[in-house]
PDB file of all heavy atoms in Angstrom:
ATOM      1  N   ARG A   1       0.768  -1.180  -0.013  1.00 85.00           N
ATOM      2  CA  ARG A   1       0.010  -0.006  -0.012  1.00 85.00           C
ATOM      3  C   ARG A   1       0.832   1.231   0.062  1.00 85.00           C
ATOM      4  O   ARG A   1       0.506   2.284  -0.608  1.00 85.00           O
ATOM      5  CB  ARG A   1      -0.903   0.026   1.250  1.00 85.00           C
ATOM      6  CG  ARG A   1      -1.996   0.991   1.255  1.00 85.00           C
ATOM      7  CD  ARG A   1      -2.865   0.899   2.483  1.00 85.00           C
ATOM      8  NE  ARG A   1      -3.456  -0.413   2.580  1.00 85.00           N
ATOM      9  CZ  ARG A   1      -3.735  -1.050   3.784  1.00 85.00           C
ATOM     10  NH1 ARG A   1      -3.559  -0.440   4.829  1.00 85.00           N
ATOM     11  NH2 ARG A   1      -4.225  -2.269   3.745  1.00 85.00           N
ATOM     12  N   PHE A   2       2.030   1.141   0.594  1.00 82.00           N
ATOM     13  CA  PHE A   2       2.841   2.430   0.783  1.00 82.00           C
ATOM     14  C   PHE A   2       4.146   2.299  -0.008  1.00 82.00           C
ATOM     15  O   PHE A   2       5.127   3.082   0.266  1.00 82.00           O
ATOM     16  CB  PHE A   2       3.143   2.612   2.297  1.00 82.00           C
ATOM     17  CG  PHE A   2       1.980   3.043   3.074  1.00 82.00           C
ATOM     18  CD1 PHE A   2       1.311   2.129   3.889  1.00 82.00           C
ATOM     19  CD2 PHE A   2       1.579   4.335   3.055  1.00 82.00           C
ATOM     20  CE1 PHE A   2       0.226   2.496   4.601  1.00 82.00           C
ATOM     21  CE2 PHE A   2       0.480   4.768   3.826  1.00 82.00           C
ATOM     22  CZ  PHE A   2      -0.184   3.845   4.588  1.00 82.00           C
ATOM     23  N   HIS A   3       4.186   1.410  -1.031  1.00 74.00           N
ATOM     24  CA  HIS A   3       5.369   1.293  -1.901  1.00 74.00           C
ATOM     25  C   HIS A   3       6.637   1.074  -1.195  1.00 74.00           C
ATOM     26  O   HIS A   3       7.640   1.789  -1.457  1.00 74.00           O
ATOM     27  CB  HIS A   3       5.401   2.596  -2.846  1.00 74.00           C
ATOM     28  CG  HIS A   3       4.201   2.905  -3.502  1.00 74.00           C
ATOM     29  ND1 HIS A   3       3.662   2.157  -4.623  1.00 74.00           N
ATOM     30  CD2 HIS A   3       3.255   3.921  -3.305  1.00 74.00           C
ATOM     31  CE1 HIS A   3       2.537   2.715  -5.019  1.00 74.00           C
ATOM     32  NE2 HIS A   3       2.264   3.731  -4.267  1.00 74.00           N
ATOM     33  N   THR A   4       6.642   0.084  -0.224  1.00 78.00           N
ATOM     34  CA  THR A   4       7.857  -0.219   0.434  1.00 78.00           C
ATOM     35  C   THR A   4       7.905  -1.774   0.610  1.00 78.00           C
ATOM     36  O   THR A   4       7.164  -2.427  -0.172  1.00 78.00           O
ATOM     37  CB  THR A   4       7.930   0.545   1.762  1.00 78.00           C
ATOM     38  OG1 THR A   4       9.179   0.288   2.400  1.00 78.00           O
ATOM     39  CG2 THR A   4       6.796   0.213   2.700  1.00 78.00           C
ATOM     40  N   THR A   5       8.760  -2.230   1.533  1.00 78.00           N
ATOM     41  CA  THR A   5       8.916  -3.655   1.677  1.00 78.00           C
ATOM     42  C   THR A   5       8.674  -4.021   3.059  1.00 78.00           C
ATOM     43  O   THR A   5       8.932  -3.188   4.028  1.00 78.00           O
ATOM     44  CB  THR A   5      10.291  -4.146   1.282  1.00 78.00           C
ATOM     45  OG1 THR A   5      11.228  -3.556   2.084  1.00 78.00           O
ATOM     46  CG2 THR A   5      10.584  -3.754  -0.170  1.00 78.00           C
ATOM     47  N   PRO A   6       8.308  -5.336   3.389  1.00 87.00           N
ATOM     48  CA  PRO A   6       8.202  -5.769   4.774  1.00 87.00           C
ATOM     49  C   PRO A   6       9.530  -5.556   5.567  1.00 87.00           C
ATOM     50  O   PRO A   6       9.470  -5.193   6.703  1.00 87.00           O
ATOM     51  CB  PRO A   6       7.836  -7.218   4.659  1.00 87.00           C
ATOM     52  CG  PRO A   6       7.126  -7.313   3.356  1.00 87.00           C
ATOM     53  CD  PRO A   6       7.817  -6.368   2.496  1.00 87.00           C
ATOM     54  N   SER A   7      10.621  -5.829   4.961  1.00 81.00           N
ATOM     55  CA  SER A   7      11.982  -5.754   5.699  1.00 81.00           C
ATOM     56  C   SER A   7      12.169  -4.254   6.029  1.00 81.00           C
ATOM     57  O   SER A   7      12.699  -3.970   7.067  1.00 81.00           O
ATOM     58  CB  SER A   7      13.038  -6.184   4.741  1.00 81.00           C
ATOM     59  OG  SER A   7      13.180  -5.514   3.645  1.00 81.00           O
ATOM     60  N   ALA A   8      11.777  -3.312   5.081  1.00 78.00           N
ATOM     61  CA  ALA A   8      11.946  -1.848   5.454  1.00 78.00           C
ATOM     62  C   ALA A   8      11.092  -1.484   6.645  1.00 78.00           C
ATOM     63  O   ALA A   8      11.509  -0.705   7.433  1.00 78.00           O
ATOM     64  CB  ALA A   8      11.662  -0.999   4.252  1.00 78.00           C
ATOM     65  N   LEU A   9       9.866  -2.118   6.656  1.00 87.00           N
ATOM     66  CA  LEU A   9       8.908  -1.729   7.825  1.00 87.00           C
ATOM     67  C   LEU A   9       9.555  -2.351   9.082  1.00 87.00           C
ATOM     68  O   LEU A   9       9.466  -1.706  10.239  1.00 87.00           O
ATOM     69  CB  LEU A   9       7.556  -2.342   7.469  1.00 87.00           C
ATOM     70  CG  LEU A   9       6.714  -1.747   6.380  1.00 87.00           C
ATOM     71  CD1 LEU A   9       5.400  -2.383   6.192  1.00 87.00           C
ATOM     72  CD2 LEU A   9       6.462  -0.214   6.651  1.00 87.00           C
ATOM     73  N   LYS A  10      10.053  -3.534   9.017  1.00 87.00           N
ATOM     74  CA  LYS A  10      10.620  -4.147  10.249  1.00 87.00           C
ATOM     75  C   LYS A  10      11.760  -3.224  10.657  1.00 87.00           C
ATOM     76  O   LYS A  10      11.880  -3.034  12.004  1.00 87.00           O
ATOM     77  CB  LYS A  10      11.212  -5.498   9.962  1.00 87.00           C
ATOM     78  CG  LYS A  10      10.104  -6.607   9.713  1.00 87.00           C
ATOM     79  CD  LYS A  10      10.812  -7.919   9.493  1.00 87.00           C
ATOM     80  CE  LYS A  10       9.835  -9.005   9.192  1.00 87.00           C
ATOM     81  NZ  LYS A  10      10.469 -10.347   8.992  1.00 87.00           N
ATOM     82  N   GLN A  11      12.652  -2.804   9.831  1.00 77.00           N
ATOM     83  CA  GLN A  11      13.771  -2.005  10.212  1.00 77.00           C
ATOM     84  C   GLN A  11      13.374  -0.666  10.872  1.00 77.00           C
ATOM     85  O   GLN A  11      13.862  -0.217  11.873  1.00 77.00           O
ATOM     86  CB  GLN A  11      14.708  -1.813   8.992  1.00 77.00           C
ATOM     87  CG  GLN A  11      15.951  -0.980   9.382  1.00 77.00           C
ATOM     88  CD  GLN A  11      16.764  -0.614   8.136  1.00 77.00           C
ATOM     89  OE1 GLN A  11      16.246  -0.433   7.012  1.00 77.00           O
ATOM     90  NE2 GLN A  11      18.113  -0.547   8.316  1.00 77.00           N
ATOM     91  N   SER A  12      12.381  -0.026  10.203  1.00 78.00           N
ATOM     92  CA  SER A  12      11.901   1.202  10.634  1.00 78.00           C
ATOM     93  C   SER A  12      11.258   1.211  11.930  1.00 78.00           C
ATOM     94  O   SER A  12      11.261   2.221  12.749  1.00 78.00           O
ATOM     95  CB  SER A  12      10.934   1.862   9.558  1.00 78.00           C
ATOM     96  OG  SER A  12      11.510   1.901   8.349  1.00 78.00           O
ATOM     97  N   ASN A  13      10.722   0.054  12.303  1.00 88.00           N
ATOM     98  CA  ASN A  13       9.909  -0.051  13.592  1.00 88.00           C
ATOM     99  C   ASN A  13      10.531  -1.025  14.611  1.00 88.00           C
ATOM    100  O   ASN A  13       9.839  -1.378  15.581  1.00 88.00           O
ATOM    101  CB  ASN A  13       8.468  -0.565  13.258  1.00 88.00           C
ATOM    102  CG  ASN A  13       7.759   0.518  12.359  1.00 88.00           C
ATOM    103  OD1 ASN A  13       7.139   1.410  12.972  1.00 88.00           O
ATOM    104  ND2 ASN A  13       7.743   0.477  11.066  1.00 88.00           N
ATOM    105  N   ASN A  14      11.704  -1.479  14.337  1.00 85.00           N
ATOM    106  CA  ASN A  14      12.501  -2.258  15.248  1.00 85.00           C
ATOM    107  C   ASN A  14      11.798  -3.585  15.532  1.00 85.00           C
ATOM    108  O   ASN A  14      11.667  -4.019  16.769  1.00 85.00           O
ATOM    109  CB  ASN A  14      12.801  -1.529  16.583  1.00 85.00           C
ATOM    110  CG  ASN A  14      13.786  -0.381  16.363  1.00 85.00           C
ATOM    111  OD1 ASN A  14      14.742  -0.497  15.628  1.00 85.00           O
ATOM    112  ND2 ASN A  14      13.499   0.801  16.985  1.00 85.00           N
ATOM    113  N   LEU A  15      11.114  -4.146  14.496  1.00 89.00           N
ATOM    114  CA  LEU A  15      10.370  -5.331  14.702  1.00 89.00           C
ATOM    115  C   LEU A  15      11.311  -6.590  14.453  1.00 89.00           C
ATOM    116  O   LEU A  15      12.039  -6.624  13.476  1.00 89.00           O
ATOM    117  CB  LEU A  15       9.252  -5.392  13.663  1.00 89.00           C
ATOM    118  CG  LEU A  15       8.148  -4.352  13.835  1.00 89.00           C
ATOM    119  CD1 LEU A  15       7.168  -4.552  12.677  1.00 89.00           C
ATOM    120  CD2 LEU A  15       7.500  -4.443  15.113  1.00 89.00           C
ATOM    121  N   ARG A  16      11.296  -7.480  15.372  1.00 87.00           N
ATOM    122  CA  ARG A  16      12.100  -8.803  15.235  1.00 87.00           C
ATOM    123  C   ARG A  16      11.421  -9.810  14.410  1.00 87.00           C
ATOM    124  O   ARG A  16      12.069 -10.468  13.647  1.00 87.00           O
ATOM    125  CB  ARG A  16      12.420  -9.319  16.608  1.00 87.00           C
ATOM    126  CG  ARG A  16      13.282  -8.456  17.505  1.00 87.00           C
ATOM    127  CD  ARG A  16      13.708  -9.096  18.762  1.00 87.00           C
ATOM    128  NE  ARG A  16      14.606  -8.322  19.584  1.00 87.00           N
ATOM    129  CZ  ARG A  16      15.022  -8.643  20.733  1.00 87.00           C
ATOM    130  NH1 ARG A  16      14.643  -9.798  21.340  1.00 87.00           N
ATOM    131  NH2 ARG A  16      15.808  -7.817  21.415  1.00 87.00           N
ATOM    132  N   GLY A  17      10.114  -9.882  14.435  1.00 88.00           N
ATOM    133  CA  GLY A  17       9.374 -10.789  13.654  1.00 88.00           C
ATOM    134  C   GLY A  17       8.322 -10.086  12.770  1.00 88.00           C
ATOM    135  O   GLY A  17       8.424  -8.896  12.554  1.00 88.00           O
ATOM    136  N   SER A  18       7.458 -10.804  12.175  1.00 89.00           N
ATOM    137  CA  SER A  18       6.450 -10.327  11.235  1.00 89.00           C
ATOM    138  C   SER A  18       5.055 -10.172  11.911  1.00 89.00           C
ATOM    139  O   SER A  18       4.145  -9.759  11.183  1.00 89.00           O
ATOM    140  CB  SER A  18       6.363 -11.208  10.052  1.00 89.00           C
ATOM    141  OG  SER A  18       7.601 -11.335   9.425  1.00 89.00           O
ATOM    142  N   VAL A  19       4.952 -10.432  13.153  1.00 90.00           N
ATOM    143  CA  VAL A  19       3.642 -10.382  13.848  1.00 90.00           C
ATOM    144  C   VAL A  19       3.276  -8.957  14.217  1.00 90.00           C
ATOM    145  O   VAL A  19       4.010  -8.280  14.938  1.00 90.00           O
ATOM    146  CB  VAL A  19       3.593 -11.283  15.006  1.00 90.00           C
ATOM    147  CG1 VAL A  19       2.253 -11.166  15.763  1.00 90.00           C
ATOM    148  CG2 VAL A  19       3.908 -12.695  14.730  1.00 90.00           C
ATOM    149  N   ILE A  20       2.155  -8.455  13.725  1.00 92.00           N
ATOM    150  CA  ILE A  20       1.594  -7.183  14.108  1.00 92.00           C
ATOM    151  C   ILE A  20       0.122  -7.319  14.494  1.00 92.00           C
ATOM    152  O   ILE A  20      -0.451  -8.341  14.060  1.00 92.00           O
ATOM    153  CB  ILE A  20       1.723  -6.105  12.879  1.00 92.00           C
ATOM    154  CG1 ILE A  20       1.069  -6.637  11.617  1.00 92.00           C
ATOM    155  CG2 ILE A  20       3.184  -5.763  12.726  1.00 92.00           C
ATOM    156  CD1 ILE A  20       1.080  -5.624  10.545  1.00 92.00           C
ATOM    157  N   ARG A  21      -0.343  -6.417  15.369  1.00 91.00           N
ATOM    158  CA  ARG A  21      -1.714  -6.634  15.858  1.00 91.00           C
ATOM    159  C   ARG A  21      -2.535  -5.353  15.536  1.00 91.00           C
ATOM    160  O   ARG A  21      -1.949  -4.227  15.486  1.00 91.00           O
ATOM    161  CB  ARG A  21      -1.675  -6.913  17.312  1.00 91.00           C
ATOM    162  CG  ARG A  21      -1.036  -8.219  17.733  1.00 91.00           C
ATOM    163  CD  ARG A  21      -1.025  -8.375  19.205  1.00 91.00           C
ATOM    164  NE  ARG A  21      -0.474  -9.720  19.558  1.00 91.00           N
ATOM    165  CZ  ARG A  21       0.839  -9.985  19.595  1.00 91.00           C
ATOM    166  NH1 ARG A  21       1.781  -9.006  19.342  1.00 91.00           N
ATOM    167  NH2 ARG A  21       1.232 -11.225  19.948  1.00 91.00           N
ATOM    168  N   ALA A  22      -3.820  -5.547  15.373  1.00 92.00           N
ATOM    169  CA  ALA A  22      -4.723  -4.384  15.124  1.00 92.00           C
ATOM    170  C   ALA A  22      -4.553  -3.354  16.243  1.00 92.00           C
ATOM    171  O   ALA A  22      -4.553  -3.738  17.452  1.00 92.00           O
ATOM    172  CB  ALA A  22      -6.141  -4.846  15.013  1.00 92.00           C
ATOM    173  N   GLY A  23      -4.396  -2.122  15.850  1.00 92.00           N
ATOM    174  CA  GLY A  23      -4.193  -1.074  16.882  1.00 92.00           C
ATOM    175  C   GLY A  23      -2.685  -0.695  17.068  1.00 92.00           C
ATOM    176  O   GLY A  23      -2.447   0.402  17.595  1.00 92.00           O
ATOM    177  N   ASP A  24      -1.799  -1.529  16.569  1.00 92.00           N
ATOM    178  CA  ASP A  24      -0.413  -1.123  16.635  1.00 92.00           C
ATOM    179  C   ASP A  24      -0.155   0.072  15.781  1.00 92.00           C
ATOM    180  O   ASP A  24      -0.823   0.289  14.732  1.00 92.00           O
ATOM    181  CB  ASP A  24       0.528  -2.274  16.142  1.00 92.00           C
ATOM    182  CG  ASP A  24       0.633  -3.378  17.110  1.00 92.00           C
ATOM    183  OD1 ASP A  24       0.107  -3.200  18.260  1.00 92.00           O
ATOM    184  OD2 ASP A  24       1.228  -4.457  16.773  1.00 92.00           O
ATOM    185  N   GLN A  25       0.831   0.891  16.088  1.00 92.00           N
ATOM    186  CA  GLN A  25       1.248   2.121  15.350  1.00 92.00           C
ATOM    187  C   GLN A  25       2.598   1.774  14.615  1.00 92.00           C
ATOM    188  O   GLN A  25       3.522   1.353  15.268  1.00 92.00           O
ATOM    189  CB  GLN A  25       1.453   3.292  16.249  1.00 92.00           C
ATOM    190  CG  GLN A  25       0.151   3.781  16.894  1.00 92.00           C
ATOM    191  CD  GLN A  25      -0.755   4.562  16.018  1.00 92.00           C
ATOM    192  OE1 GLN A  25      -0.251   5.065  15.010  1.00 92.00           O
ATOM    193  NE2 GLN A  25      -2.020   4.638  16.365  1.00 92.00           N
ATOM    194  N   LEU A  26       2.605   2.052  13.363  1.00 93.00           N
ATOM    195  CA  LEU A  26       3.789   1.816  12.500  1.00 93.00           C
ATOM    196  C   LEU A  26       4.276   3.094  11.940  1.00 93.00           C
ATOM    197  O   LEU A  26       3.439   3.952  11.542  1.00 93.00           O
ATOM    198  CB  LEU A  26       3.525   0.764  11.429  1.00 93.00           C
ATOM    199  CG  LEU A  26       3.202  -0.687  11.810  1.00 93.00           C
ATOM    200  CD1 LEU A  26       3.005  -1.517  10.504  1.00 93.00           C
ATOM    201  CD2 LEU A  26       4.364  -1.293  12.642  1.00 93.00           C
ATOM    202  N   LEU A  27       5.564   3.248  11.834  1.00 88.00           N
ATOM    203  CA  LEU A  27       6.161   4.370  11.118  1.00 88.00           C
ATOM    204  C   LEU A  27       6.461   3.955   9.657  1.00 88.00           C
ATOM    205  O   LEU A  27       7.080   2.891   9.517  1.00 88.00           O
ATOM    206  CB  LEU A  27       7.470   4.822  11.737  1.00 88.00           C
ATOM    207  CG  LEU A  27       7.340   5.764  12.930  1.00 88.00           C
ATOM    208  CD1 LEU A  27       8.715   6.050  13.628  1.00 88.00           C
ATOM    209  CD2 LEU A  27       6.636   7.090  12.587  1.00 88.00           C
ATOM    210  N   ILE A  28       5.864   4.622   8.735  1.00 87.00           N
ATOM    211  CA  ILE A  28       6.051   4.210   7.234  1.00 87.00           C
ATOM    212  C   ILE A  28       6.936   5.228   6.570  1.00 87.00           C
ATOM    213  O   ILE A  28       6.612   6.380   6.502  1.00 87.00           O
ATOM    214  CB  ILE A  28       4.624   4.107   6.612  1.00 87.00           C
ATOM    215  CG1 ILE A  28       3.593   3.374   7.445  1.00 87.00           C
ATOM    216  CG2 ILE A  28       4.818   3.603   5.213  1.00 87.00           C
ATOM    217  CD1 ILE A  28       3.864   1.948   7.495  1.00 87.00           C
ATOM    218  N   PRO A  29       8.054   4.719   5.993  1.00 80.00           N
ATOM    219  CA  PRO A  29       8.820   5.584   5.140  1.00 80.00           C
ATOM    220  C   PRO A  29       8.038   5.848   3.861  1.00 80.00           C
ATOM    221  O   PRO A  29       7.568   4.889   3.235  1.00 80.00           O
ATOM    222  CB  PRO A  29      10.125   4.858   4.876  1.00 80.00           C
ATOM    223  CG  PRO A  29       9.764   3.448   5.116  1.00 80.00           C
ATOM    224  CD  PRO A  29       8.606   3.341   6.153  1.00 80.00           C
ATOM    225  N   SER A  30       7.940   7.097   3.419  1.00 77.00           N
ATOM    226  CA  SER A  30       7.173   7.299   2.122  1.00 77.00           C
ATOM    227  C   SER A  30       7.890   8.430   1.348  1.00 77.00           C
ATOM    228  O   SER A  30       8.625   9.195   1.795  1.00 77.00           O
ATOM    229  CB  SER A  30       5.763   7.624   2.445  1.00 77.00           C
ATOM    230  OG  SER A  30       5.646   8.733   3.366  1.00 77.00           O
ATOM    231  N   ALA A  31       7.423   8.482   0.069  1.00 77.00           N
ATOM    232  CA  ALA A  31       8.028   9.558  -0.849  1.00 77.00           C
ATOM    233  C   ALA A  31       7.571  10.956  -0.512  1.00 77.00           C
ATOM    234  O   ALA A  31       6.429  11.096  -0.061  1.00 77.00           O
ATOM    235  CB  ALA A  31       7.706   9.150  -2.223  1.00 77.00           C
ATOM    236  N   PHE A  32       8.438  11.908  -0.668  1.00 75.00           N
ATOM    237  CA  PHE A  32       8.099  13.303  -0.505  1.00 75.00           C
ATOM    238  C   PHE A  32       7.061  13.704  -1.555  1.00 75.00           C
ATOM    239  O   PHE A  32       6.251  14.576  -1.316  1.00 75.00           O
ATOM    240  CB  PHE A  32       9.334  14.195  -0.582  1.00 75.00           C
ATOM    241  CG  PHE A  32      10.028  14.279   0.676  1.00 75.00           C
ATOM    242  CD1 PHE A  32      11.167  13.620   1.016  1.00 75.00           C
ATOM    243  CD2 PHE A  32       9.580  15.223   1.699  1.00 75.00           C
ATOM    244  CE1 PHE A  32      11.767  13.677   2.140  1.00 75.00           C
ATOM    245  CE2 PHE A  32      10.272  15.386   2.911  1.00 75.00           C
ATOM    246  CZ  PHE A  32      11.386  14.587   3.123  1.00 75.00           C
ATOM    247  N   LYS A  33       7.227  13.171  -2.834  1.00 74.00           N
ATOM    248  CA  LYS A  33       6.383  13.545  -3.899  1.00 74.00           C
ATOM    249  C   LYS A  33       5.542  12.416  -4.396  1.00 74.00           C
ATOM    250  O   LYS A  33       5.698  11.287  -4.084  1.00 74.00           O
ATOM    251  CB  LYS A  33       7.243  14.162  -5.043  1.00 74.00           C
ATOM    252  CG  LYS A  33       8.081  15.334  -4.654  1.00 74.00           C
ATOM    253  CD  LYS A  33       8.894  15.922  -5.910  1.00 74.00           C
ATOM    254  CE  LYS A  33       9.674  17.155  -5.439  1.00 74.00           C
ATOM    255  NZ  LYS A  33      10.385  17.727  -6.530  1.00 74.00           N
ATOM    256  N   GLY A  34       4.526  12.778  -5.314  1.00 73.00           N
ATOM    257  CA  GLY A  34       3.760  11.726  -5.949  1.00 73.00           C
ATOM    258  C   GLY A  34       4.645  10.763  -6.799  1.00 73.00           C
ATOM    259  O   GLY A  34       5.694  11.168  -7.219  1.00 73.00           O
ATOM    260  N   GLN A  35       4.216   9.516  -6.986  1.00 74.00           N
ATOM    261  CA  GLN A  35       5.043   8.477  -7.632  1.00 74.00           C
ATOM    262  C   GLN A  35       5.432   8.952  -9.032  1.00 74.00           C
ATOM    263  O   GLN A  35       6.525   8.625  -9.542  1.00 74.00           O
ATOM    264  CB  GLN A  35       4.243   7.164  -7.677  1.00 74.00           C
ATOM    265  CG  GLN A  35       4.109   6.487  -6.378  1.00 74.00           C
ATOM    266  CD  GLN A  35       5.464   6.128  -5.688  1.00 74.00           C
ATOM    267  OE1 GLN A  35       6.368   5.522  -6.361  1.00 74.00           O
ATOM    268  NE2 GLN A  35       5.637   6.615  -4.472  1.00 74.00           N
ATOM    269  N   GLN A  36       4.591   9.713  -9.791  1.00 73.00           N
ATOM    270  CA  GLN A  36       4.929  10.068 -11.096  1.00 73.00           C
ATOM    271  C   GLN A  36       6.093  11.070 -11.131  1.00 73.00           C
ATOM    272  O   GLN A  36       6.741  11.133 -12.209  1.00 73.00           O
ATOM    273  CB  GLN A  36       3.707  10.775 -11.685  1.00 73.00           C
ATOM    274  CG  GLN A  36       2.555   9.830 -12.027  1.00 73.00           C
ATOM    275  CD  GLN A  36       1.379  10.470 -12.800  1.00 73.00           C
ATOM    276  OE1 GLN A  36       1.351  11.657 -12.902  1.00 73.00           O
ATOM    277  NE2 GLN A  36       0.524   9.629 -13.302  1.00 73.00           N
TER     278      GLN A  36
END
């Protein structure tokens, strides 16, 4: 959804595994500009 990878999300949020739960807050790295 945010044009990134699971590994990047893990790294950005200090996640050791892939388990996340509803209500958790994640930091998402995203582009400054539109994709075009």
Side-chain angles (χ1 to χ4, degrees):
R1 190 178 306 152
F2 290 98
H3 307 288
T4 184
T5 63
S7 61
L9 292 178
K10 287 182 184 180
Q11 183 186 32
S12 303
N13 294 274
N14 296 318
L15 299 176
R16 293 184 178 180
S18 299
V19 177
I20 56 175
R21 295 177 176 84
D24 286 351
Q25 295 283 340
L26 295 181
L27 278 176
I28 311 289
S30 57
F32 274 99
K33 299 184 178 181
Q35 291 300 308
Q36 290 186 346

